[in-house]
């Protein structure tokens, strides 16, 4: 569609993705793009696209921020149809530094479904047999509910009057309070995401200059109240169109990434991204030990040293996970591999696990084994690009755990100070 | 001092010959304290350096985290942020072509330490007061493994 509008083929794309997308989802998008013949310039989390737009606007406002070094902190809240994303960005002189990201799979769709259930509690059973007429009815009902939600953004009560044909009618007066009660869970989740993001960014609320609300659901009064309430702000930033902000930001990124320069310096922009999810390995029993924590600046590299748990252990199984759940199994399995270790008393070999994320967000894992006293690794360092397995392969890890028990386990070695 | 010729361009701003004569001194002579009085001579060159070599400071192995960012030890939080932004503009992998990966990681780790007042205090203590670099092992560069006249000129 974009191609026919532009009347020329599109080859390079910048895509915005929800913050909570795992590495698998990102890989899948890239694969899909490759199949469609598109070269992905960037896959950027949605709020960071907004942050880029904000950085450009601030650049226009104060041309010489670079000199004064005044940085402006902004909280970006994006609630779309399926995902809720929050980011805290610090911007000065066109360089925006993402301080923290958080996101979750809640959005307008949940609000809509909750509302439909509220209006017609038996709706799910009603449309079970998926006939053509049922689907038509359902979509009528959907559109009507959507309209009702929209009107509730501007007025306190709404008359819902839907004729579904064959004797079914929904007549109800819905108040804003009712709507908020029905969607309490969604709003609570959003609030938790904002609180978490502010906490991760370690910002002082007093230093927050702007609160930016974007996305289709940003007009809901309750959402505004929640976000502004948490940020202790009176009003939100009005400099951008909430529906177009993400796309504008992505367009800017596209221009920057493809090397377009603007003599006025309006494209003199840089976004310093962070990883939205922690990455670590299984160690210390059945624990998730993060090596790269979430909200680490990309490119990033961090290594941790582990050691063996058994006498003369000759192999160690390294299983890598991505996520922020305390429980290992709740995180996504990214891959697993073994490293060979020369026989040695337990606790002596140093197994160095290094995770490296480059600027194009490719994750590599390097593993080397060192015996104390020798500076060189005993075996060539292994380098592996992750993810190695596909999504939902957590069962592989389970199977490996059953097979080997704890014979190939690792424990983390405190760094000698 | 193998790296001295690289800095001959500073001879106009700093007493280069003086620096050279003192460079053989060990840094733990009695006058070496982290306060500004000791570091005043390097202030000129540090200010010069921040303009002159945002690229090279990152690619050559800098000695202290302050050197990575091209700053003096008394830099304010604001200056640190500015320096980080300036360096990010040049050496972030999105802008720079190849080999920027490690540079930026180094710059960022320097920034991460110095922009956090607590970590910065720890770092300053580790480098300047205890001065036992072997015992200090958080940051990217081994402290004082490669001394340059800039850090040595304390008289």
């Amino acid at each position: 569609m974009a191609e026919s509008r532009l009347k020329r083929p599109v080859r390079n794309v910048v895509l915005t993705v929800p913050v909570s997308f795992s590495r698998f989802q990102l890989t899948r998008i890239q694969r899909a793009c490759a199949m469609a013949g598109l070269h992905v310039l960037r896959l950027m989390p949605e709020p960071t696209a907004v942050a880029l737009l904000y950085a450009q606007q601030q650049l226009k406002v104060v041309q010489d921020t670079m000199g004064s070094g005044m940085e402006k902190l902004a909280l970006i809240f994006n609630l779309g149809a399926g995902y809720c994303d929050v980011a805290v960005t610090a911007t000065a002189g066109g360089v925006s530094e993402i301080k923290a990201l958080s996101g979750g799979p809640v959005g307008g769709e949940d609000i809509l479904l909750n509302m439909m259930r509220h209006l017609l509690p038996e709706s799910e059973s009603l449309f079970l047999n998926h006939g053509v007429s049922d689907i038509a009815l359902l979509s009528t009902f959907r559109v009507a509910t959507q309209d009702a939600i929209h009107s509730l953004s501007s007025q306190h009560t709404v008359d819902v009057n839907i004729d579904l044909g064959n004797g079914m009618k929904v007549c109800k007066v819905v108040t804003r309070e009712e709507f908020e009660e029905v969607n309490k869970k969604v709003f609570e989740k959003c609030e938790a995401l904002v609180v978490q993001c502010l906490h991760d960014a370690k910002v002082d609320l007093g230093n927050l200059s702007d609160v930016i609300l974007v996305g289709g659901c940003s007009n809901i009064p309750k959402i505004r109240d929640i976000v502004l309430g948490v940020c202790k702000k009176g009003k939100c930033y009005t400099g951008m169109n909430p529906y177009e902000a993400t796309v504008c930001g992505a367009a800017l990124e596209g221009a920057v990434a493809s090397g377009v320069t603007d003599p006025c310096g309006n494209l003199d922009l840089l976004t310093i991204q962070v990883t939205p999810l922690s990455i670590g390995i299984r160690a210390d029993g059945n624990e998730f030990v993060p090596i790269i924590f979430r909200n680490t600046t990309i490119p990033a590299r961090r290594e941790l040293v582990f050691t063996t748990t058994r006498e003369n252990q000759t192999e160690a199984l390294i299983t890598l996970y991505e996520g922020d759940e305390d429980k290992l199994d709740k995180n996504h399995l990214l891959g697993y591999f073994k490293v060979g270790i020369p026989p040695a008393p337990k606790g002596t070999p140093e197994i160095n696990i290094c995770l490296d994320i480059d600027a194009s967000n490719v994750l590599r894992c390097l593993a080397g084994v060192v015996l104390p006293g020798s500076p060189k690794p005993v075996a060539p360092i292994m380098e592996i690009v992750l993810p190695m397995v596909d999504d939902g392969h957590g069962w592989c890890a389970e199977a490996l755990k059953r097979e080997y028990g704890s014979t190939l386990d690792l424990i983390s070695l405190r760094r000698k100070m | 001092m193998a790296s001295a010729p690289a800095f001959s361009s500073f001879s106009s701003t700093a007493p280069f010959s003086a620096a050279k004569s003192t460079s053989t001194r060990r840094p733990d002579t009695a006058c070496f304290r982290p306060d500004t009085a000791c570091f005043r001579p390097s202030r000129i060159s540090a200010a010069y350096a921040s303009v002159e070599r945002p690229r090279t400071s990152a690619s050559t192995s800098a000695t202290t985290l302050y050197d990575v960012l091209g700053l003096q030890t008394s830099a304010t939080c604001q200056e640190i942020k500015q320096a980080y932004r300036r360096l990010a503009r040049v050496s972030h992998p999105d802008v720079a072509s190849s080999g920027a990966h490690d540079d930026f990681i180094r710059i960022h780790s320097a920034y991460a330490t110095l922009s956090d007042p607590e970590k910065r205090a720890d770092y300053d203590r580790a480098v300047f007061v205890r001065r036992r670099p072997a015992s200090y092992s958080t940051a990217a560069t081994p402290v004082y493994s490669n001394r340059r006249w800039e850090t040595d000129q304390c008289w």
Side-chain angles (χ1 to χ4, degrees):
Chain A
M1 203 163 78
E3 286 191 359
S4 63
R5 277 285 184 88
L6 291 170
K7 296 199 169 55
R8 68 192 186 103
V10 175
R11 282 285 159 265
N12 298 319
V13 288
V14 171
L15 295 174
T16 61
V17 293
V19 167
S20 56
F21 261 25
S22 72
R23 244 154 228 287
F24 298 109
Q25 288 164 305
L26 300 181
T27 322
R28 221 168 280 155
I29 288 175
Q30 260 161 341
R31 282 183 200 156
C33 286
M35 286 175 201
L38 298 170
H39 173 231
V40 181
L41 282 177
R42 292 284 152 78
L43 273 179
M44 60 193 316
E46 267 158 30
T48 67
V50 182
L52 190 68
L53 180 64
Y54 177 70
Q56 195 212 21
Q57 291 180 343
Q58 293 309 311
L59 193 65
K60 278 184 193 160
V61 173
V62 200
Q63 277 292 352
D64 59 347
T65 30
M66 201 68 174
S68 64
M70 271 300 290
E71 64 172 11
K72 291 190 99 178
L73 280 169
L75 179 114
I76 295 159
F77 179 89
N78 173 26
L79 187 61
Y83 290 89
C84 172
D85 310 303
V86 193
V88 173
T89 173
T91 178
V95 180
S96 41
E97 191 192 344
I98 307 297
K99 292 271 186 188
L101 290 171
S102 68
V106 288
E109 185 67 24
D110 299 300
I111 295 176
L112 181 60
L113 288 179
N114 284 340
M115 204 57 192
M116 283 167 72
R117 220 167 287 138
H118 175 68
L119 288 174
L120 197 63
E122 68 274 27
S123 63
E124 267 153 56
S125 58
L126 220 56
F127 302 117
L128 255 184
N129 47 353
H130 300 297
V132 177
S133 59
D134 282 351
I135 293 171
L137 278 182
L138 189 62
S139 51
T140 321
F141 182 43
R142 240 184 106 93
V143 171
T145 314
Q146 210 165 345
D147 285 345
I149 295 173
H150 287 175
S151 358
L152 276 179
S153 292
S154 49
Q155 58 204 56
H156 270 280
T157 54
V158 67
D159 259 324
V160 183
N161 208 338
I162 314 164
D163 188 1
L164 294 173
N166 56 26
M168 280 200 299
K169 260 191 180 174
V170 180
C171 286
K172 219 170 191 177
V173 177
V174 184
T175 63
R176 201 181 269 181
E177 284 71 37
E178 241 175 297
F179 167 72
E180 284 163 11
E181 184 57 36
V182 169
N183 290 302
K184 211 170 154 209
K185 284 243 166 62
V186 176
F187 295 139
E188 276 170 3
K189 181 84 182 121
C190 293
E191 186 171 359
L193 287 171
V194 177
V195 170
Q196 192 208 327
C197 195
L198 284 169
H199 174 261
D200 287 351
K202 299 189 195 78
V203 292
D204 200 5
L205 282 179
N207 294 336
L208 208 60
S209 324
D210 289 303
V211 176
I212 304 169
L213 285 147
V214 293
C217 300
S218 59
N219 272 332
I220 297 174
K222 181 74 179 169
I223 294 284
R224 298 180 98 82
D225 290 352
I226 287 175
V227 180
L228 293 175
V230 172
C231 299
K232 298 200 172 62
K233 282 270 178 260
K235 56 182 187 340
C236 53
Y237 187 71
T238 49
M240 52 179 84
N241 179 332
Y243 305 109
E244 293 170 1
T246 312
V247 186
C248 290
L252 278 176
E253 176 72 17
V256 174
S258 43
V260 180
T261 49
D262 179 23
C264 310
N266 281 342
L267 286 177
D268 209 1
L269 302 167
L270 175 69
T271 317
I272 299 168
Q273 299 275 8
V274 297
T275 52
L277 295 167
S278 303
I279 303 157
I281 73 163
R282 170 178 178 266
D284 299 344
N286 204 20
E287 298 288 310
F288 175 62
V289 179
I291 296 180
I292 291 187
F293 290 92
R294 70 159 182 267
N295 297 323
T296 303
T297 302
I298 306 175
R301 178 181 300 154
R302 188 157 177 266
E303 56 179 47
L304 275 184
V305 182
F306 296 88
T307 189
T308 51
T309 55
R310 309 229 159 186
E311 299 290 340
N312 296 326
Q313 187 175 329
T314 52
E315 273 182 328
L317 180 70
I318 293 156
T319 32
L320 293 124
Y321 288 86
E322 178 184 62
D324 279 296
E325 303 286 339
D326 297 331
K327 282 273 220 152
L328 187 77
D329 321 340
K330 295 265 178 65
N331 295 317
H332 300 275
L333 176 73
L334 289 175
Y336 51 85
F337 59 93
K338 283 186 199 165
V339 287
I341 304 162
K346 71 174 176 190
T348 46
E350 291 180 4
I351 301 149
N352 211 322
I353 310 288
C354 177
L355 290 181
D356 180 290
I357 304 176
D358 71 10
S360 42
N361 206 10
V362 177
L363 173 67
R364 285 187 182 80
C365 176
L366 296 109
V369 182
V370 183
L371 283 179
S374 71
K376 285 232 175 90
V378 289
I381 292 174
M382 291 179 71
E383 182 179 336
I384 280 146
V385 178
L386 297 163
M388 304 162 72
V389 293
D390 246 336
D391 200 358
H393 276 49
W395 57 270
C396 289
E398 294 296 311
L400 286 164
K401 203 162 69 191
R402 266 200 306 279
E403 185 170 347
Y404 293 113
S406 61
T407 52
L408 302 183
D409 272 8
L410 292 172
I411 53 167
S412 51
L413 191 67
R414 293 296 304 161
R415 275 210 151 167
K416 280 177 251 130
M417 290 302 276
Chain B
M1 286 276 109
S3 56
F7 294 94
S8 56
S9 59
F10 299 136
S11 54
S12 56
T13 54
F16 186 63
S17 52
K20 212 170 183 182
S21 64
T22 50
S23 66
T24 47
R25 261 205 233 170
R26 296 205 47 77
D28 50 343
T29 42
C31 77
F32 188 83
R33 266 173 287 117
D35 59 21
T36 45
C38 273
F39 260 75
R40 194 164 296 136
S42 68
R43 178 169 296 175
I44 312 157
S45 59
Y48 191 100
S50 61
V51 197
E52 186 58 31
R53 33 144 218 173
R55 198 67 186 82
T56 49
S57 70
S59 51
T60 60
S61 58
T63 23
T64 66
L65 298 186
Y66 293 99
D67 287 354
V68 172
L69 294 179
L71 290 168
Q72 45 185 297
T73 40
S74 56
T76 61
C77 208
Q78 192 118 101
E79 285 170 341
I80 292 171
K81 279 185 179 167
Q82 271 180 46
Y84 172 61
R85 290 228 154 76
R86 194 178 47 231
L87 289 167
R89 276 197 171 281
V90 213
S91 55
H92 191 276
D94 281 0
V95 236
S97 47
S98 59
H101 183 68
D102 293 335
D103 285 0
F104 186 74
I105 289 181
R106 187 156 48 233
I107 291 166
H108 181 78
S109 75
Y111 167 70
T113 307
L114 297 185
S115 61
D116 183 331
E118 225 167 85
K119 284 187 194 162
R120 185 179 174 186
D122 282 349
Y123 174 77
D124 285 351
R125 259 197 304 282
V127 177
F128 298 114
V129 180
R130 249 195 296 141
R131 256 183 300 111
R132 288 198 340 250
S135 64
Y136 182 73
S137 60
T138 56
T141 50
V143 180
Y144 279 138
S145 66
N146 175 12
R147 285 188 287 119
R148 283 207 309 246
W149 67 269
E150 263 190 306
T151 45
D152 284 351
Q153 52 169 318
C154 318
W155 54 79

